[in-house]
Amino acid sequence: MCEKGRFAPSPSGRMHLGNLFSFLLAWLDARAAGGRMVLRIEDLDPERTGEPWTSLLVEDLRWLGLDWDEGYAAGGTCGPYCQRERTALYDEAFQTLKELEAVYPCWCSRHQRLAASAPHPGEERDRGACACRKLSRAEQEARAMVRPPAWKAAMPHETISFDDLCQGRQQFDLARDCGDFVVRRADGVYGYQLAVTVDDALMGVTRVVRGRDLLDSAARQLWLMRLLGYCAPVYGHVPLLLAGDGRRLSKRERDLDMGALRERYAPETLTGTLTTLAGLPAPAGRCGPKELIQNFCWDKIAKNDIVTEL
């Protein structure tokens, strides 16, 4: 079986240095394994994603020398490659979860959902607890007459373990460590966890490399894959790049975005900088992604978040 990695950007703003860092490592991981790359556009939310960001991210990836074999702007047999065009596939998976009674309707406000996932420091409680999960059928029907619900995954107290390419052995109690999460919003837009699970499986992705902030998402997605009968990929969760003051880089705040970076650096210079930050040896002279493949090794990649002074 041919290995396959993926780029999965969300076109909600200009890519920043941290996005590029994880994409470079995803590309190197797939190419070092002799694999292919797919570009998928994660544009689920029509209010936050779209042009001109989609065109700009494609241009920025190509500027750095990161290519892909199938996907957006390339075609392929596993399309469509934009999530907003894949709703029918998510509908089918969602129906399976309903039949398995793995999801339940939820009428909590967004504020209530966020509060339910953020216990006070030192407080031990079940992150999966939600009052809507305990509603009777009659109560559900009464609430549905007033407004449509969101649908949440009902996380069991079950341990999910996996070996992460970068972070090593991982173990999560689904209910305690991950908690129930929205599978489909009240307006019918599908949530990130379900869409990514379906897409990675149906596109044949075998290697998922992304930021360390999504480490617990792997546990959720492995659980969903098992329920839906999918083959799971291997995961590698790389460190985040932080601003000089310790903040996470953000599209919203335009921290080190690609517009500014392209004005200041040549692509080879930026590639070399990212390589050094990752802990990989960079060849002397001009350094493009292809020159890094032979020296790529997960044992050399940093595990903890990295402060950049660019």
Side-chain angles (χ1 to χ4, degrees):
M1 179 182 67
C2 179
E3 299 283 3
K4 183 188 286 189
R6 45 83 150 173
F7 300 130
S10 176
S12 57
R14 194 75 181 261
M15 286 197 302
H16 56 62
L17 189 68
N19 301 135
L20 212 57
F21 180 74
S22 62
F23 289 159
L24 174 62
L25 293 179
W27 187 91
L28 289 172
D29 170 70
R31 296 309 192 200
R36 296 167 57 81
M37 284 297 293
V38 58
L39 172 61
R40 178 173 74 236
I41 304 300
E42 298 199 339
D43 55 355
L44 280 170
D45 191 336
E47 296 180 1
R48 296 180 59 248
T49 58
E51 294 292 354
W53 309 122
T54 303
S55 295
L56 283 171
L57 71 86
V58 169
E59 182 184 329
D60 288 338
L61 289 171
R62 287 175 171 162
W63 175 82
L64 197 73
L66 299 177
D67 61 354
W68 53 97
D69 305 287
E70 65 176 276
Y72 186 81
T77 60
C78 300
Y81 293 97
C82 290
Q83 286 186 329
R84 68 176 61 192
E85 300 173 18
R86 298 175 62 83
T87 303
L89 299 171
Y90 309 145
D91 286 339
E92 183 176 345
F94 176 65
Q95 187 58 41
T96 298
L97 294 177
K98 287 181 71 175
E99 292 170 358
L100 294 172
E101 298 184 346
V103 294
Y104 62 91
C106 174
W107 287 268
C108 293
S109 66
R110 182 175 183 273
H111 174 76
Q112 288 172 311
R113 292 199 300 271
L114 290 176
S117 64
H120 297 295
E123 179 183 357
E124 293 291 337
R125 64 180 173 86
D126 191 343
R127 292 184 65 188
C130 175
C132 295
R133 190 168 171 176
K134 300 177 182 179
L135 294 175
S136 67
R137 180 62 61 85
E139 289 172 318
Q140 290 178 355
E141 292 174 351
R143 294 194 182 197
M145 294 290 290
V146 178
R147 61 185 175 91
W151 285 82
K152 277 183 169 180
M155 290 287 92
H157 276 292
E158 174 186 326
T159 298
I160 292 285
S161 301
F162 62 96
D163 291 311
D164 190 83
L165 292 168
C166 186
Q167 302 297 330
R169 188 66 174 171
Q170 300 295 313
Q171 185 169 293
F172 294 89
D173 180 291
L174 290 170
R176 185 191 66 230
D177 300 325
C178 301
D180 294 1
F181 57 88
V182 174
V183 171
R184 193 179 74 175
R185 297 188 332 197
D187 62 2
V189 174
Y190 282 98
Y192 166 81
Q193 303 292 353
L194 179 63
V196 166
T197 299
V198 171
D199 291 343
D200 284 342
L202 298 188
M203 291 182 182
V205 172
T206 64
R207 310 180 74 83
V208 172
V209 176
R210 56 194 180 188
R212 194 173 66 84
D213 55 328
L214 293 172
L215 191 56
D216 61 356
S217 287
R220 297 180 177 98
Q221 291 161 25
L222 287 168
W223 178 76
L224 286 170
M225 286 179 180
R226 190 186 68 209
L227 291 180
L228 296 170
Y230 296 150
C231 293
V234 296
Y235 292 95
H237 289 84
V238 302
L240 304 179
L241 296 190
L242 307 178
D245 59 4
R247 291 179 298 108
R248 284 175 52 181
L249 302 184
S250 167
K251 289 180 183 176
R252 183 176 301 173
E253 298 181 32
R254 300 189 66 182
D255 282 314
L256 299 176
D257 77 16
M258 286 302 298
L261 291 169
R262 288 180 61 171
E263 290 180 359
R264 295 165 56 193
Y265 300 103
E268 296 84 3
T269 303
L270 197 55
T271 299
T273 299
L274 293 171
T275 302
T276 301
L277 290 172
L280 292 171
R286 297 172 65 85
C287 176
K290 292 181 180 178
E291 285 71 49
L292 302 174
I293 295 173
Q294 64 180 357
N295 291 325
F296 179 79
C297 175
W298 278 108
D299 290 342
K300 300 173 183 176
I301 303 296
K303 293 179 172 55
N304 297 321
D305 293 345
I306 303 164
V307 175
T308 175
E309 299 293 344
L310 277 182

